Coordinates of all heavy atoms in Angstrom, one line a residue:
M15 N 27.6 18.8 -9.7 CA 28.5 18.3 -8.7 C 28.5 16.8 -8.7 O 27.5 16.2 -8.9 CB 28.0 18.8 -7.3 CG 29.2 18.9 -6.3 SD 28.6 19.6 -4.7 CE 27.7 18.3 -4.0
K16 N 29.7 16.3 -8.6 CA 29.8 14.8 -8.6 C 29.3 14.2 -7.3 O 29.5 14.7 -6.2 CB 31.3 14.5 -8.7 CG 31.6 13.2 -9.6 CD 33.1 12.9 -9.7 CE 33.5 12.0 -8.6 NZ 34.8 11.8 -8.4
R17 N 28.6 13.1 -7.5 CA 28.1 12.4 -6.3 C 29.2 11.6 -5.6 O 30.0 11.0 -6.2 CB 27.0 11.4 -6.8 CG 25.7 12.0 -6.9 CD 24.7 10.9 -7.0 NE 23.3 11.4 -7.3 CZ 22.3 10.7 -7.6 NH1 22.4 9.4 -7.7 NH2 21.1 11.2 -7.8
P18 N 29.1 11.7 -4.3 CA 30.1 10.9 -3.5 C 29.8 9.4 -3.7 O 28.7 9.0 -4.1 CB 29.8 11.3 -2.1 CG 28.4 11.8 -2.0 CD 28.1 12.4 -3.4
K19 N 30.8 8.6 -3.5 CA 30.6 7.1 -3.7 C 30.0 6.5 -2.4 O 30.1 7.0 -1.4 CB 31.9 6.5 -4.1 CG 33.0 6.5 -3.1 CD 34.2 5.7 -3.6 CE 35.2 5.4 -2.5 NZ 36.1 6.5 -2.2
E20 N 29.5 5.3 -2.7 CA 28.9 4.6 -1.5 C 30.1 4.0 -0.7 O 31.0 3.4 -1.2 CB 28.0 3.5 -2.0 CG 27.5 2.7 -0.9 CD 26.4 1.7 -1.3 OE1 25.3 2.1 -1.6 OE2 26.7 0.5 -1.4
I21 N 30.0 4.2 0.6 CA 31.1 3.6 1.5 C 30.4 2.8 2.6 O 29.3 3.1 3.0 CB 32.0 4.7 2.1 CG1 31.2 5.8 2.8 CG2 32.9 5.4 1.0 CD1 32.0 6.8 3.6
K22 N 31.2 1.9 3.0 CA 30.8 1.0 4.1 C 31.2 1.7 5.4 O 32.4 2.1 5.5 CB 31.4 -0.4 4.0 CG 30.8 -1.4 4.8 CD 31.3 -2.8 4.4 CE 31.2 -3.7 5.6 NZ 31.7 -5.0 5.3
I23 N 30.3 1.7 6.4 CA 30.7 2.3 7.7 C 30.4 1.3 8.8 O 29.6 0.4 8.6 CB 30.0 3.7 7.9 CG1 28.5 3.5 8.0 CG2 30.4 4.7 6.9 CD1 27.7 4.8 8.4
N24 N 31.0 1.6 9.9 CA 30.8 0.7 11.1 C 29.8 1.3 12.1 O 29.4 2.5 11.9 CB 32.1 0.2 11.7 CG 32.9 1.4 12.3 OD1 32.3 2.4 12.8 ND2 34.2 1.4 12.2
R25 N 29.4 0.6 13.1 CA 28.5 1.1 14.1 C 29.0 2.3 14.8 O 28.2 3.3 15.0 CB 28.2 0.0 15.1 CG 27.2 -1.0 14.8 CD 25.9 -0.4 14.4 NE 24.9 -0.5 15.4 CZ 24.1 -1.6 15.6 NH1 24.4 -2.7 14.9 NH2 23.2 -1.6 16.5
F26 N 30.2 2.4 15.1 CA 30.8 3.5 15.8 C 30.7 4.8 14.9 O 30.3 5.8 15.3 CB 32.3 3.3 16.1 CG 32.9 4.4 16.7 CD1 32.7 4.8 18.1 CD2 33.8 5.2 16.0 CE1 33.3 5.9 18.6 CE2 34.4 6.4 16.5 CZ 34.2 6.7 17.9
Q27 N 31.0 4.6 13.6 CA 30.9 5.8 12.7 C 29.5 6.2 12.5 O 29.2 7.4 12.4 CB 31.5 5.4 11.3 CG 33.1 5.2 11.4 CD 33.6 4.5 10.2 OE1 33.0 3.6 9.6 NE2 34.8 4.9 9.8
L28 N 28.6 5.3 12.5 CA 27.2 5.6 12.4 C 26.7 6.5 13.6 O 26.0 7.4 13.5 CB 26.3 4.4 12.3 CG 24.8 4.6 12.2 CD1 24.5 5.1 10.8 CD2 24.0 3.3 12.5
N29 N 27.2 6.0 14.8 CA 26.8 6.8 16.0 C 27.3 8.2 16.0 O 26.7 9.1 16.6 CB 27.4 6.0 17.2 CG 26.4 5.0 17.8 OD1 25.2 5.2 17.7 ND2 27.0 4.0 18.3
V30 N 28.5 8.4 15.4 CA 29.1 9.8 15.3 C 28.2 10.6 14.3 O 28.0 11.8 14.6 CB 30.5 9.7 14.7 CG1 31.0 11.1 14.5 CG2 31.4 9.0 15.8
L31 N 27.7 10.0 13.3 CA 26.9 10.7 12.3 C 25.5 11.1 12.7 O 25.0 12.2 12.4 CB 26.8 9.9 11.0 CG 28.0 9.8 10.1 CD1 27.9 8.8 9.0 CD2 28.3 11.2 9.4
L32 N 24.9 10.3 13.6 CA 23.5 10.5 13.9 C 23.4 11.3 15.2 O 24.2 11.0 16.2 CB 22.8 9.2 14.1 CG 22.7 8.3 12.9 CD1 21.9 7.0 13.3 CD2 22.0 9.0 11.7
N33 N 22.5 12.2 15.3 CA 22.2 12.9 16.6 C 21.2 12.0 17.3 O 20.7 11.0 16.8 CB 21.7 14.3 16.4 CG 20.4 14.4 15.7 OD1 19.6 13.5 15.8 ND2 20.2 15.5 15.0
D34 N 20.9 12.4 18.6 CA 20.1 11.6 19.4 C 18.7 11.3 18.8 O 18.2 10.1 18.8 CB 19.9 12.2 20.8 CG 21.1 12.1 21.6 OD1 22.0 11.4 21.2 OD2 21.2 12.8 22.6
E35 N 18.1 12.3 18.2 CA 16.8 12.1 17.6 C 16.9 11.2 16.4 O 16.0 10.3 16.3 CB 16.3 13.5 17.1 CG 14.9 13.6 16.8 CD 14.5 15.0 16.2 OE1 15.0 16.0 16.8 OE2 13.8 15.0 15.2
Q36 N 17.9 11.3 15.6 CA 18.1 10.4 14.5 C 18.3 9.0 14.9 O 17.9 8.0 14.3 CB 19.2 10.9 13.6 CG 18.8 12.2 12.8 CD 20.0 12.9 12.3 OE1 21.1 12.8 12.8 NE2 19.8 13.8 11.3
K37 N 19.1 8.8 16.0 CA 19.3 7.5 16.6 C 18.0 6.8 17.0 O 17.8 5.6 16.7 CB 20.3 7.6 17.8 CG 21.7 7.6 17.4 CD 22.6 7.8 18.6 CE 23.9 8.4 18.2 NZ 24.7 9.0 19.3
E38 N 17.1 7.6 17.6 CA 15.8 7.1 18.0 C 15.0 6.6 16.8 O 14.5 5.5 16.7 CB 15.0 8.1 18.7 CG 15.2 8.0 20.2 CD 14.4 9.1 20.9 OE1 13.3 9.4 20.5 OE2 15.0 9.7 21.9
G39 N 15.0 7.5 15.7 CA 14.3 7.1 14.5 C 14.9 5.9 13.9 O 14.2 5.0 13.4
F40 N 16.2 5.8 13.9 CA 16.9 4.7 13.3 C 16.5 3.4 14.0 O 16.1 2.4 13.4 CB 18.4 4.9 13.5 CG 19.3 3.9 13.0 CD1 19.7 3.9 11.6 CD2 19.8 2.8 13.8 CE1 20.6 2.9 11.1 CE2 20.6 1.8 13.3 CZ 21.0 1.9 12.0
D41 N 16.6 3.4 15.4 CA 16.2 2.2 16.1 C 14.7 1.8 15.9 O 14.4 0.7 15.8 CB 16.4 2.5 17.6 CG 17.9 2.5 18.0 OD1 18.7 1.9 17.2 OD2 18.3 3.0 19.0
Y42 N 13.9 2.9 15.9 CA 12.5 2.6 15.7 C 12.2 1.9 14.3 O 11.5 0.9 14.3 CB 11.7 3.9 15.7 CG 10.2 3.8 15.3 CD1 9.3 3.3 16.3 CD2 9.8 4.0 14.1 CE1 8.0 3.1 16.0 CE2 8.4 3.8 13.7 CZ 7.6 3.4 14.7 OH 6.3 3.2 14.4
I43 N 12.8 2.4 13.3 CA 12.6 1.8 11.9 C 13.1 0.4 11.9 O 12.5 -0.5 11.4 CB 13.3 2.7 10.9 CG1 12.5 4.0 10.7 CG2 13.4 1.9 9.5 CD1 13.1 5.0 9.8
L44 N 14.3 0.2 12.5 CA 14.9 -1.1 12.4 C 14.2 -2.2 13.2 O 14.1 -3.3 12.9 CB 16.4 -1.1 12.8 CG 17.3 -0.3 11.8 CD1 18.7 -0.7 12.0 CD2 16.9 -0.7 10.3
N45 N 13.5 -1.7 14.3 CA 12.8 -2.6 15.2 C 11.4 -2.9 14.7 O 10.8 -3.9 15.0 CB 12.8 -2.0 16.6 CG 14.1 -2.2 17.3 OD1 14.7 -3.2 17.1 ND2 14.5 -1.3 18.1
Q46 N 10.8 -1.9 14.0 CA 9.4 -2.2 13.6 C 9.0 -1.7 12.2 O 7.8 -1.7 11.9 CB 8.4 -1.6 14.6 CG 8.9 -0.5 15.5 CD 8.1 -0.4 16.7 OE1 6.9 -0.6 16.7 NE2 8.7 0.0 17.8
N47 N 9.9 -1.4 11.4 CA 9.5 -0.9 10.1 C 10.4 -1.3 8.9 O 10.6 -0.6 8.0 CB 9.4 0.7 10.2 CG 8.4 1.3 9.2 OD1 7.8 0.5 8.5 ND2 8.3 2.6 9.2
V48 N 10.8 -2.5 9.0 CA 11.6 -3.1 7.9 C 10.8 -4.2 7.3 O 10.3 -5.1 8.0 CB 13.0 -3.6 8.3 CG1 13.7 -4.2 7.1 CG2 13.8 -2.5 8.9
Y49 N 10.6 -4.1 6.0 CA 9.8 -5.1 5.3 C 10.6 -6.4 5.0 O 11.7 -6.3 4.5 CB 9.2 -4.5 4.0 CG 8.4 -5.5 3.2 CD1 7.0 -5.7 3.6 CD2 8.9 -6.3 2.2 CE1 6.2 -6.6 2.9 CE2 8.1 -7.2 1.5 CZ 6.8 -7.3 1.8 OH 6.0 -8.2 1.2
C50 N 10.1 -7.5 5.2 CA 10.7 -8.8 4.9 C 9.9 -9.5 3.9 O 8.7 -9.8 4.1 CB 10.8 -9.6 6.2 SG 11.5 -11.3 5.9
G51 N 10.5 -9.8 2.7 CA 9.8 -10.5 1.6 C 9.5 -11.9 2.0 O 8.4 -12.4 1.6
N52 N 10.3 -12.5 2.8 CA 10.0 -13.8 3.3 C 8.8 -13.9 4.2 O 8.0 -14.8 4.0 CB 11.3 -14.3 4.0 CG 11.7 -15.7 3.6 OD1 11.1 -16.3 2.7 ND2 12.8 -16.1 4.2
C53 N 8.7 -13.0 5.1 CA 7.6 -13.0 6.1 C 6.4 -12.4 5.4 O 5.2 -12.6 5.9 CB 7.9 -12.2 7.3 SG 9.3 -12.9 8.3
G54 N 6.6 -11.6 4.4 CA 5.4 -11.0 3.7 C 4.9 -9.8 4.5 O 3.7 -9.5 4.5
G55 N 5.7 -9.2 5.3 CA 5.3 -8.1 6.2 C 6.5 -7.5 6.9 O 7.6 -7.8 6.5
V56 N 6.2 -6.7 7.9 CA 7.4 -6.1 8.6 C 8.0 -7.2 9.5 O 7.4 -8.2 9.9 CB 7.0 -5.0 9.6 CG1 6.5 -3.8 8.7 CG2 5.9 -5.4 10.5
C57 N 9.3 -7.1 9.7 CA 10.0 -8.0 10.6 C 9.5 -7.8 12.0 O 9.8 -6.8 12.6 CB 11.5 -7.8 10.5 SG 12.2 -7.8 8.9
K58 N 8.8 -8.8 12.4 CA 8.1 -8.6 13.7 C 9.1 -8.5 14.9 O 8.8 -7.9 15.9 CB 7.1 -9.8 14.0 CG 5.9 -9.8 13.1 CD 4.9 -10.7 13.6 CE 3.8 -11.0 12.5 NZ 4.3 -11.8 11.4
Q59 N 10.2 -9.1 14.8 CA 11.1 -9.1 15.9 C 12.3 -8.2 15.6 O 13.3 -8.2 16.2 CB 11.7 -10.5 16.2 CG 10.6 -11.5 16.6 CD 11.2 -12.8 16.9 OE1 12.2 -12.9 17.7 NE2 10.7 -13.9 16.4
G60 N 12.1 -7.4 14.5 CA 13.2 -6.5 14.1 C 14.3 -7.2 13.3 O 14.1 -8.3 12.9
I61 N 15.4 -6.5 13.1 CA 16.4 -7.1 12.3 C 17.8 -7.1 13.0 O 18.0 -6.3 13.9 CB 16.6 -6.4 10.9 CG1 17.2 -5.0 11.1 CG2 15.2 -6.3 10.2 CD1 17.7 -4.5 9.8
E62 N 18.6 -8.0 12.5 CA 20.0 -8.0 13.0 C 20.8 -7.3 11.9 O 20.8 -7.7 10.8 CB 20.4 -9.4 13.2 CG 21.8 -9.5 13.9 CD 22.3 -11.0 13.9 OE1 21.5 -11.9 13.9 OE2 23.5 -11.1 13.7
I63 N 21.5 -6.2 12.3 CA 22.3 -5.5 11.3 C 23.6 -6.3 10.9 O 24.3 -6.7 11.8 CB 22.7 -4.1 11.8 CG1 21.4 -3.3 12.1 CG2 23.6 -3.4 10.8 CD1 21.7 -1.9 12.7
K64 N 23.8 -6.4 9.6 CA 25.0 -7.0 9.2 C 26.0 -6.0 8.6 O 27.2 -6.1 8.9 CB 24.7 -8.1 8.1 CG 24.1 -9.3 8.6 CD 25.0 -10.1 9.6 CE 24.3 -11.4 10.1 NZ 25.1 -12.0 11.2
E65 N 25.5 -5.1 7.7 CA 26.4 -4.1 7.2 C 25.6 -2.8 7.0 O 24.4 -2.7 6.8 CB 26.8 -4.6 5.8 CG 27.8 -5.8 5.8 CD 28.4 -6.1 4.5 OE1 27.6 -6.4 3.6 OE2 29.6 -6.1 4.4
I66 N 26.4 -1.7 7.2 CA 25.9 -0.4 7.1 C 26.6 0.4 6.0 O 27.9 0.3 5.9 CB 26.1 0.4 8.4 CG1 25.6 -0.5 9.6 CG2 25.4 1.7 8.4 CD1 26.0 0.1 11.0
F67 N 25.9 1.1 5.2 CA 26.5 1.9 4.1 C 26.0 3.3 4.1 O 24.9 3.6 4.5 CB 26.2 1.3 2.7 CG 26.6 -0.2 2.5 CD1 25.8 -1.2 2.9 CD2 27.9 -0.4 2.0 CE1 26.2 -2.5 2.7 CE2 28.3 -1.8 1.8 CZ 27.4 -2.8 2.2
L68 N 26.9 4.2 3.8 CA 26.5 5.6 3.5 C 26.5 5.7 2.0 O 27.5 5.5 1.3 CB 27.6 6.5 4.1 CG 27.3 8.0 4.0 CD1 26.1 8.4 4.8 CD2 28.5 8.8 4.6
D69 N 25.3 5.8 1.4 CA 25.2 5.7 -0.1 C 25.5 7.1 -0.8 O 25.8 8.1 -0.1 CB 23.9 5.1 -0.5 CG 22.7 6.0 -0.4 OD1 22.9 7.2 -0.2 OD2 21.6 5.5 -0.6
S70 N 25.3 7.1 -2.1 CA 25.8 8.3 -2.9 C 24.9 9.5 -2.6 O 25.2 10.6 -3.0 CB 25.8 7.9 -4.3 OG 24.5 7.6 -4.7
L71 N 23.7 9.3 -2.0 CA 22.9 10.4 -1.6 C 23.0 10.8 -0.1 O 22.3 11.6 0.4 CB 21.4 10.1 -1.9 CG 21.0 9.7 -3.3 CD1 19.6 9.2 -3.4 CD2 21.1 11.0 -4.2
N72 N 24.0 10.2 0.5 CA 24.2 10.3 1.9 C 23.0 9.8 2.7 O 22.7 10.3 3.8 CB 24.6 11.7 2.3 CG 26.0 12.0 2.0 OD1 26.9 11.1 2.0 ND2 26.3 13.3 1.7
D73 N 22.3 8.8 2.2 CA 21.3 8.1 2.9 C 22.1 6.9 3.6 O 23.2 6.5 3.1 CB 20.2 7.5 2.0 CG 19.3 8.6 1.5 OD1 19.2 9.6 2.2 OD2 18.7 8.4 0.4
I74 N 21.5 6.3 4.6 CA 22.0 5.2 5.3 C 21.3 3.9 4.7 O 20.1 3.9 4.8 CB 21.9 5.3 6.8 CG1 22.5 6.5 7.4 CG2 22.4 4.0 7.5 CD1 24.0 6.5 7.4
R75 N 22.1 3.0 4.3 CA 21.5 1.7 3.8 C 22.0 0.6 4.7 O 23.2 0.4 5.0 CB 21.9 1.4 2.4 CG 21.2 0.2 1.8 CD 21.3 0.2 0.3 NE 22.7 0.2 -0.2 CZ 23.5 -0.9 -0.3 NH1 23.0 -2.1 0.1 NH2 24.7 -0.8 -0.7
I76 N 21.0 -0.1 5.2 CA 21.3 -1.2 6.1 C 21.0 -2.5 5.5 O 20.0 -2.7 4.8 CB 20.3 -1.1 7.4 CG1 20.5 0.2 8.1 CG2 20.5 -2.3 8.3 CD1 21.8 0.4 8.7
E77 N 21.9 -3.5 5.6 CA 21.7 -4.8 5.2 C 21.7 -5.7 6.4 O 22.6 -5.6 7.2 CB 22.7 -5.2 4.1 CG 22.5 -4.5 2.8 CD 23.4 -4.9 1.7 OE1 24.2 -5.9 1.9 OE2 23.3 -4.3 0.6
G78 N 20.7 -6.5 6.5 CA 20.7 -7.4 7.7 C 19.9 -8.6 7.6 O 19.6 -9.0 6.4
I79 N 19.5 -9.1 8.7 CA 18.7 -10.4 8.7 C 17.5 -10.2 9.6 O 17.6 -9.7 10.7 CB 19.7 -11.5 9.3 CG1 20.8 -11.8 8.3 CG2 18.9 -12.8 9.6 CD1 21.7 -12.9 8.7
C80 N 16.4 -10.7 9.0 CA 15.1 -10.7 9.8 C 15.3 -11.6 11.0 O 15.6 -12.8 10.8 CB 14.0 -11.1 8.8 SG 12.4 -11.4 9.7
K81 N 15.0 -11.1 12.2 CA 15.1 -12.0 13.3 C 14.1 -13.1 13.4 O 14.3 -14.1 14.1 CB 15.1 -11.2 14.6 CG 16.4 -10.4 14.9 CD 16.3 -9.7 16.2 CE 17.5 -8.8 16.5 NZ 17.3 -7.9 17.6
E82 N 13.0 -12.9 12.7 CA 11.9 -13.9 12.7 C 12.2 -15.1 11.9 O 12.1 -16.2 12.3 CB 10.6 -13.2 12.2 CG 9.4 -14.1 12.2 CD 8.5 -14.0 13.4 OE1 8.9 -13.2 14.3 OE2 7.4 -14.6 13.3
C83 N 12.6 -14.8 10.6 CA 12.8 -16.0 9.7 C 14.3 -16.1 9.2 O 14.6 -17.0 8.5 CB 11.9 -15.8 8.4 SG 12.5 -14.4 7.4
K84 N 15.1 -15.2 9.6 CA 16.6 -15.2 9.3 C 16.8 -14.9 7.8 O 17.9 -15.2 7.3 CB 17.2 -16.6 9.6 CG 17.0 -17.1 11.0 CD 17.7 -16.2 12.0 CE 17.5 -16.6 13.5 NZ 17.6 -15.6 14.4
G85 N 15.8 -14.4 7.1 CA 15.9 -14.0 5.7 C 16.7 -12.7 5.6 O 16.7 -11.9 6.5
K86 N 17.2 -12.5 4.4 CA 18.0 -11.2 4.2 C 17.0 -10.0 4.0 O 16.0 -10.2 3.3 CB 18.8 -11.4 2.9 CG 20.2 -11.9 3.2 CD 21.1 -11.8 2.0 CE 22.4 -12.5 2.2 NZ 23.2 -12.5 1.0
V87 N 17.3 -8.9 4.6 CA 16.5 -7.7 4.4 C 17.4 -6.5 4.2 O 18.6 -6.6 4.6 CB 15.6 -7.4 5.7 CG1 14.5 -8.5 5.8 CG2 16.4 -7.4 6.9
A88 N 16.9 -5.5 3.6 CA 17.6 -4.3 3.4 C 16.7 -3.1 3.6 O 15.5 -3.2 3.3 CB 18.3 -4.2 2.0
R89 N 17.2 -2.0 4.0 CA 16.4 -0.8 4.2 C 17.2 0.4 4.0 O 18.4 0.5 4.5 CB 15.8 -0.8 5.6 CG 14.9 0.3 6.0 CD 13.5 0.2 5.3 NE 12.4 0.8 6.0 CZ 12.1 2.1 6.0 NH1 12.8 2.9 5.3 NH2 11.1 2.5 6.7
V90 N 16.7 1.4 3.3 CA 17.4 2.7 3.2 C 16.7 3.7 4.1 O 15.5 3.8 4.1 CB 17.3 3.2 1.7 CG1 17.9 4.6 1.6 CG2 18.1 2.3 0.8
L91 N 17.5 4.4 4.9 CA 17.0 5.4 5.7 C 17.4 6.7 5.1 O 18.6 7.0 5.0 CB 17.5 5.2 7.2 CG 17.0 3.9 7.8 CD1 18.1 2.9 7.8 CD2 16.6 4.2 9.3
E92 N 16.4 7.6 4.8 CA 16.7 8.7 4.0 C 17.2 9.9 4.8 O 16.6 11.0 4.8 CB 15.5 9.1 3.2 CG 15.3 8.1 2.0 CD 13.9 8.1 1.4 OE1 13.0 8.8 2.0 OE2 13.8 7.4 0.4
F93 N 18.3 9.7 5.5 CA 18.9 10.8 6.3 C 19.5 11.9 5.4 O 19.6 13.0 5.8 CB 19.9 10.3 7.2 CG 19.4 9.5 8.4 CD1 19.7 8.2 8.6 CD2 18.6 10.2 9.3 CE1 19.2 7.5 9.7 CE2 18.0 9.5 10.4 CZ 18.3 8.1 10.6
G94 N 19.9 11.5 4.2 CA 20.5 12.5 3.3 C 19.6 13.7 2.9 O 20.1 14.7 2.5
E95 N 18.3 13.5 3.1 CA 17.4 14.6 2.8 C 17.6 15.7 3.9 O 17.1 16.9 3.6 CB 16.0 14.1 2.9 CG 15.6 13.3 1.7 CD 14.2 12.7 1.7 OE1 13.5 12.9 2.8 OE2 13.7 12.2 0.7
N96 N 18.1 15.4 5.0 CA 18.3 16.3 6.1 C 19.6 17.1 5.8 O 20.7 16.5 5.7 CB 18.4 15.6 7.4 CG 18.6 16.5 8.6 OD1 19.5 17.3 8.6 ND2 17.8 16.3 9.6
K97 N 19.5 18.4 5.6 CA 20.7 19.2 5.2 C 21.8 19.1 6.2 O 23.0 18.9 5.8 CB 20.3 20.6 5.1 CG 20.5 21.2 3.7 CD 20.2 22.7 3.6 CE 20.2 23.1 2.2 NZ 19.4 24.4 2.0
E98 N 21.5 19.1 7.4 CA 22.5 19.1 8.5 C 23.2 17.7 8.5 O 24.4 17.7 8.6 CB 21.8 19.2 9.8 CG 22.6 19.8 11.0 CD 21.7 20.0 12.2 OE1 20.7 20.7 12.1 OE2 22.1 19.3 13.2
F99 N 22.4 16.7 8.3 CA 23.0 15.3 8.2 C 23.9 15.2 7.0 O 25.0 14.7 7.0 CB 22.0 14.2 8.2 CG 22.6 12.9 8.1 CD1 23.0 12.2 9.2 CD2 22.8 12.3 6.9 CE1 23.6 10.9 9.1 CE2 23.4 11.0 6.8 CZ 23.8 10.4 7.9
Y100 N 23.4 15.8 5.9 CA 24.2 15.7 4.6 C 25.6 16.4 4.8 O 26.6 15.8 4.4 CB 23.4 16.4 3.5 CG 23.9 16.1 2.1 CD1 23.4 15.1 1.4 CD2 25.0 16.9 1.6 CE1 23.9 14.8 0.1 CE2 25.5 16.6 0.3 CZ 24.9 15.6 -0.4 OH 25.4 15.3 -1.7
Q101 N 25.6 17.5 5.4 CA 26.8 18.3 5.6 C 27.8 17.4 6.5 O 29.0 17.3 6.3 CB 26.5 19.6 6.3 CG 26.0 20.7 5.4 CD 26.9 21.0 4.2 OE1 28.1 20.8 4.3 NE2 26.3 21.4 3.1
K102 N 27.2 16.9 7.6 CA 28.0 16.1 8.5 C 28.6 14.9 7.8 O 29.7 14.5 8.0 CB 27.0 15.6 9.6 CG 27.7 15.5 11.0 CD 26.6 15.3 12.0 CE 27.2 14.8 13.3 NZ 26.1 14.5 14.3
A103 N 27.8 14.3 6.9 CA 28.3 13.1 6.2 C 29.4 13.5 5.2 O 30.4 12.8 5.1 CB 27.1 12.5 5.4
M104 N 29.3 14.7 4.6 CA 30.4 15.2 3.7 C 31.7 15.4 4.5 O 32.8 15.1 4.1 CB 29.9 16.4 3.0 CG 28.8 16.2 2.0 SD 29.0 14.8 0.9 CE 30.1 15.5 -0.4
E105 N 31.5 16.0 5.7 CA 32.7 16.2 6.6 C 33.3 14.9 6.9 O 34.5 14.7 7.0 CB 32.3 17.0 7.8 CG 31.9 18.4 7.6 CD 33.0 19.3 7.0 OE1 34.1 19.1 7.5 OE2 32.7 20.1 6.1
F106 N 32.4 14.0 7.3 CA 32.9 12.6 7.7 C 33.7 12.0 6.6 O 34.7 11.4 6.8 CB 31.7 11.8 8.1 CG 32.0 10.3 8.2 CD1 32.6 9.8 9.3 CD2 31.6 9.4 7.2 CE1 32.9 8.5 9.4 CE2 31.9 8.1 7.3 CZ 32.5 7.6 8.4
R107 N 33.2 12.1 5.3 CA 33.8 11.5 4.2 C 35.3 12.1 4.0 O 36.2 11.4 3.7 CB 33.1 11.8 2.9 CG 31.8 11.0 2.8 CD 31.0 11.4 1.6 NE 29.8 10.7 1.4 CZ 29.7 9.5 0.8 NH1 30.7 8.9 0.3 NH2 28.5 8.9 0.7
K108 N 35.3 13.4 4.2 CA 36.6 14.1 4.1 C 37.6 13.5 5.2 O 38.8 13.3 4.9 CB 36.5 15.6 4.3 CG 36.6 16.4 3.0 CD 36.6 17.9 3.3 CE 35.4 18.5 2.8 NZ 35.2 19.9 3.3
S109 N 37.0 13.3 6.4 CA 37.9 12.9 7.5 C 38.4 11.5 7.4 O 39.5 11.2 7.9 CB 37.1 13.1 8.8 OG 36.2 12.0 9.0
I110 N 37.7 10.7 6.6 CA 38.2 9.3 6.5 C 39.0 9.1 5.2 O 39.5 8.1 4.9 CB 37.1 8.2 6.6 CG1 36.0 8.5 5.5 CG2 36.5 8.2 7.9 CD1 35.1 7.3 5.3
D111 N 39.0 10.2 4.4 CA 39.6 10.1 3.1 C 41.1 10.1 3.1 O 41.8 9.6 2.3 CB 39.2 11.3 2.2 CG 38.8 10.8 0.8 OD1 38.6 9.6 0.6 OD2 38.8 11.6 -0.1
N112 N 41.7 10.7 4.2 CA 43.2 10.7 4.3 C 43.7 10.1 5.5 O 43.0 9.5 6.3 CB 43.7 12.2 4.1 CG 42.8 13.2 4.8 OD1 42.4 13.0 5.9 ND2 42.5 14.3 4.1
Ligands
ZN201 ZN1 11.3 -12.5 7.9

């Protein structure tokens, strides 16, 4: 099966894709579990999201800025491993395709 292409999504679309539990996980990771190369550790103050992507594995990739040092950071959240999320993501792709 052909892999879907990576697409850029907005905050609203992300909210539609995630259920409440996933939203909590998402916030948790972005607030305390993103590594910053500049700080040499996790972003202590969390990150500011700049761009959100749904990648070819239907994982969510975030690009943003470390609030502590303003350095660029990125993090992949492996939602695509969740079958339910994967299906939802595929439906979502169809819905925005036309
Ligand atoms: Zn930093």
Side-chain angles (χ1 to χ4, degrees):
M15 205 174 78
K16 215 179 94 194
R17 274 191 184 173
K19 63 175 194 281
E20 176 172 288
I21 53 172
K22 195 171 154 179
I23 60 173
N24 60 36
R25 276 305 256 281
F26 176 77
Q27 291 168 321
L28 180 72
N29 270 329
V30 173
L31 282 169
L32 300 180
N33 65 28
D34 287 346
E35 196 184 318
Q36 289 163 337
K37 276 175 201 162
E38 267 177 42
F40 181 86
D41 287 341
Y42 174 79
I43 287 171
L44 294 195
N45 284 322
Q46 26 201 326
N47 207 358
V48 179
Y49 181 83
C50 173
N52 227 359
C53 295
V56 293
C57 304
K58 290 192 192 76
Q59 299 183 49
I61 71 164
E62 186 189 329
I63 297 173
K64 288 295 183 191
E65 291 186 303
I66 309 168
F67 300 89
L68 186 62
D69 77 9
S70 62
L71 298 170
N72 282 331
D73 287 333
I74 301 285
R75 186 162 58 84
I76 300 295
E77 290 186 2
I79 291 185
C80 169
K81 283 185 184 168
E82 178 100 353
C83 72
K84 309 292 178 203
K86 272 191 184 173
V87 291
R89 179 73 149 87
V90 173
L91 297 100
E92 289 161 352
F93 285 119
E95 288 178 349
N96 180 312
K97 239 183 192 160
E98 207 176 300
F99 180 86
Y100 193 94
Q101 285 303 331
K102 214 170 167 183
M104 292 313 276
E105 291 298 317
F106 168 74
R107 286 173 180 277
K108 255 186 247 166
S109 75
I110 58 167
D111 225 20
N112 38 45

